[in-house]
């Protein structure tokens, strides 16, 4: 079985990037022939990881406009060279769907929807386009039941065409990752380190986390790993709140698991979130997690970590204060989070995708 994974690019702090990288490597381990196609092949540690793993990676250019329609024709030339094409993330979904119109011998296409919200699906004009794009896919995978429900509620997609496969994380890799010294990051042992690792994008809500720091004692320090269009806005907010000595922007990091393990608390503050891969990785690192109460991620976190309402910096600060001052509570939440992480095995996820690949290929025969 020969599979092509297609994604627009592999940003250094993207959950989609980590998903495609982890899935591709695990499929190779299981004897599946996998290649990856990127619209934009700009260099990141995820691309390097794939190449070092011996996975063949194609790309159409570097630092290019991923939305340009000229790539449709180029992508079309790949679609009949594989048994199945697995697509991730907009705009790749559009590019591949339209490319399939140009290649009548195209392999069947599976699309994984990674988000519980898609503004195109709720827009009266774009809804028609979205329905057409989804019609080009043999099967659609939602990463949580909430993702599947969003599709069913907003688009004309048959229930039988949509499956749910929950994301998985590489628990063993996280467990055996070495810690780094907090001293090397510029902190002291007494500091309580809060980490949020995510892109600075519209769906993420770094601002609420930054504001929550104003309610906390001086020893609470914030580490933000990632990059994106909203980063400068957050840097200005930190400066305006006089938090520059307590909030550190580390940019994109290839050693994010080490930073997770040296941090005391991991937070994912979002406006919407399909799953929250980084929050499960933090759970696997035996750290307590605090996350926004949004569909998809709330079911991953509830009864293990802690939830706060979107934008409620006071509620978030109360959770962080309790975790930082109550050792038994901290230990309890950490243990619950680690136990929950065991439910999200990368190996199980890969097996479920292989089953879907086999069924989809058989359906075309």
């Amino acid at each position: 079985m020969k599979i092509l994974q297609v994604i627009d690019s592999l940003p250094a702090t993207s959950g989609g990037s980590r998903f495609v990288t982890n899935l591709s490597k695990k499929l190779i381990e299981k004897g599946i022939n996998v290649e990856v196609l990127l619209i934009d092949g700009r260099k990141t540690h995820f691309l390097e990881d794939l190449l070092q793993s011996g996975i063949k990676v194609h790309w159409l250019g570097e630092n290019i406009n991923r939305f340009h329609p000229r790539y449709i024709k180029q992508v079309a030339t790949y679609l009949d060279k594989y048994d199945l094409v697995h697509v991730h993330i907009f705009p790749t979904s559009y590019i591949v769907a339209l490319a399939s119109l140009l290649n009548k011998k195209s392999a069947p296409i599976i699309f994984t929807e990674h988000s519980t919200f898609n503004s195109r699906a709720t827009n009266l004009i774009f809804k028609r386009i979205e329905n057409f794009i989804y019609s080009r896919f043999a099967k659609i995978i939602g990463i949580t039941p909430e993702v599947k429900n969003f599709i069913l509620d907003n688009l004309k997609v048959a229930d039988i065409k949509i499956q749910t496969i929950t994301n998985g994380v590489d628990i063993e890799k996280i467990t055996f990752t070495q810690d780094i010294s907090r001293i090397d990051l510029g902190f002291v042992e007494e500091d309580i380190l809060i980490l949020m690792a995510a892109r600075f994008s519209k769906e993420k809500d770094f601002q609420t986390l930054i504001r929550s720091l104003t309610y906390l004692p001086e020893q609470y320090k914030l580490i933000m790993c990632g990059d994106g269009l909203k980063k400068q806005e957050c840097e200005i907010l930190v400066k305006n709140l006089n938090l520059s000595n307590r909030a550190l922007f580390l940019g994109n990091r290839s050693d994010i698991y080490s930073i997770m393990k040296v941090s005391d608390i991991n937070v994912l503050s979002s406006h919407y979130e399909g799953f929250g891969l980084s929050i499960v990785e933090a759970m696997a690192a035996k750290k307590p997690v605090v996350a926004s109460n949004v569909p998809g991620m709330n079911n991953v976190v509830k009864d293990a970590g802690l939830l706060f309402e979107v934008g409620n910096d006071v509620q978030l600060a109360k959770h962080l204060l309790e975790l930082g001052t109550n050792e038994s509570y901290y230990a309890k939440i950490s243990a619950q989070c680690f136990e929950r992480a065991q439910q999200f095995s990368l190996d199980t996820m890969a097996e479920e995708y292989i089953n879907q690949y086999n069924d989809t290929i058989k359906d075309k025969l």
Side-chain angles (χ1 to χ4, degrees):
M1 181 164 43
K2 190 176 183 181
I3 307 296
L4 180 67
Q5 302 284 340
V6 191
I7 189 170
D8 57 336
S9 63
L10 295 170
T13 50
S14 163
S17 300
R18 192 177 302 282
F19 176 93
V20 170
T21 301
N22 287 347
L23 176 60
S24 298
K25 290 169 62 179
K26 183 58 69 172
L27 291 173
I28 289 289
E29 284 181 25
K30 293 179 176 294
I32 306 298
N33 187 350
V34 178
E35 296 182 6
V36 176
L37 173 61
L38 309 175
I39 308 301
D40 182 355
R42 70 184 67 186
K43 302 298 185 292
T44 68
H45 66 89
F46 287 121
L47 176 55
E48 187 64 26
D49 193 2
L50 288 170
L51 293 173
Q52 289 181 353
S53 299
I55 296 173
K56 188 173 184 179
V57 183
H58 312 265
W59 55 84
L60 305 184
E62 293 185 34
N63 299 308
I64 58 177
N65 179 3
R66 298 168 291 122
F67 295 83
H68 201 289
R70 69 171 174 266
Y71 300 117
I72 295 170
K73 189 173 181 180
Q74 289 178 257
V75 168
T77 64
Y78 287 87
L79 301 185
D80 60 351
K81 296 178 172 62
Y82 302 86
D83 297 309
L84 184 138
V85 177
H86 187 176
V87 186
H88 311 266
I89 312 294
F90 174 84
T92 319
S93 54
Y94 274 48
I95 290 174
V96 173
L98 295 174
S100 70
L101 295 172
L102 304 180
N103 189 334
K104 301 304 180 184
K105 296 181 180 179
S106 173
I109 303 167
I110 285 180
F111 174 59
T112 292
E113 177 58 75
H114 292 265
S115 179
T116 53
F117 180 74
N118 170 358
S119 59
R120 298 178 303 281
T122 59
N123 181 286
L124 290 177
I125 297 174
F126 282 98
K127 184 188 288 281
R128 291 185 177 183
I129 301 173
E130 199 77 357
N131 277 318
F132 174 75
I133 295 299
Y134 272 69
S135 74
R136 301 300 300 172
F137 305 138
K139 194 165 290 184
I140 298 155
I141 309 295
I143 60 173
T144 61
E146 289 79 9
V147 172
K148 177 178 179 178
N149 290 338
F150 177 85
I151 296 170
L152 291 174
D153 290 343
N154 291 280
L155 295 172
K156 295 178 180 179
V157 180
D159 187 288
I160 195 171
K161 191 176 179 178
I162 311 176
Q163 305 296 322
T164 301
I165 299 179
T166 304
N167 280 354
V169 300
D170 193 340
I171 297 173
E172 184 177 2
K173 180 178 181 180
I174 296 169
T175 299
F176 290 102
T177 294
Q178 293 296 312
D179 294 4
I180 58 175
S181 169
R182 59 177 55 204
I183 305 300
D184 292 340
L185 293 175
F187 300 105
V188 298
E189 291 301 324
E190 292 75 22
D191 286 332
I192 298 170
L193 304 185
I194 305 161
L195 170 67
M196 179 162 162
R199 288 174 297 149
F200 286 83
S201 56
K202 63 180 182 180
E203 64 266 32
K204 308 302 180 188
D205 183 17
F206 280 92
Q207 293 88 341
T208 293
L209 177 55
I210 292 168
R211 291 196 304 270
S212 75
L213 209 59
T214 63
Y215 301 103
L216 296 168
E218 286 289 321
Q219 69 266 33
Y220 282 79
K221 306 293 172 62
L222 174 60
I223 301 171
M224 290 170 281
C225 292
D227 208 346
L229 296 176
K230 296 286 187 178
K231 184 176 180 181
Q232 185 176 17
E233 180 182 317
C234 292
E235 290 173 332
I236 292 171
L237 179 60
V238 164
K239 184 177 180 180
N240 289 343
L241 294 176
N242 296 315
L243 294 172
S244 297
N245 63 330
R246 297 175 60 198
L248 182 65
F249 295 86
L250 289 186
N252 293 325
R253 300 286 297 219
S254 60
D255 59 346
I256 192 62
Y257 290 160
S258 295
I259 296 175
M260 280 182 181
K261 295 183 81 170
V262 78
S263 301
D264 297 296
I265 306 165
N266 279 253
V267 174
L268 187 52
S269 178
S270 304
H271 295 291
Y272 55 91
E273 195 77 45
F275 179 79
L277 192 61
S278 67
I279 215 72
V280 178
E281 290 171 331
M283 289 177 170
K286 301 182 181 180
K287 299 297 177 178
V289 301
V290 187
S292 301
N293 186 13
V294 293
M297 186 163 64
N298 53 8
N299 281 334
V300 173
V301 173
K302 72 176 183 181
D303 301 324
L306 305 173
L307 295 167
F308 65 97
E309 297 306 316
V310 175
N312 193 329
D313 48 10
V314 174
Q315 186 183 21
L316 172 56
K318 287 179 179 178
H319 285 321
L320 297 173
L321 185 64
E322 182 71 8
L323 287 169
T325 56
N326 187 331
E327 290 186 13
S328 61
Y329 185 67
Y330 180 94
K332 174 189 173 184
I333 300 300
S334 299
Q336 289 177 175
C337 286
F338 183 65
E339 183 178 355
R340 174 63 55 81
Q342 309 311 304
Q343 298 178 14
F344 303 104
S345 160
L346 179 60
D347 193 78
T348 299
M349 182 190 81
E351 287 290 348
E352 291 182 6
Y353 270 106
I354 290 171
N355 290 337
Q356 292 299 326
Y357 294 164
N358 282 323
D359 289 346
T360 305
I361 292 169
K362 288 176 184 176
D363 288 344
K364 189 179 182 181
L365 295 178

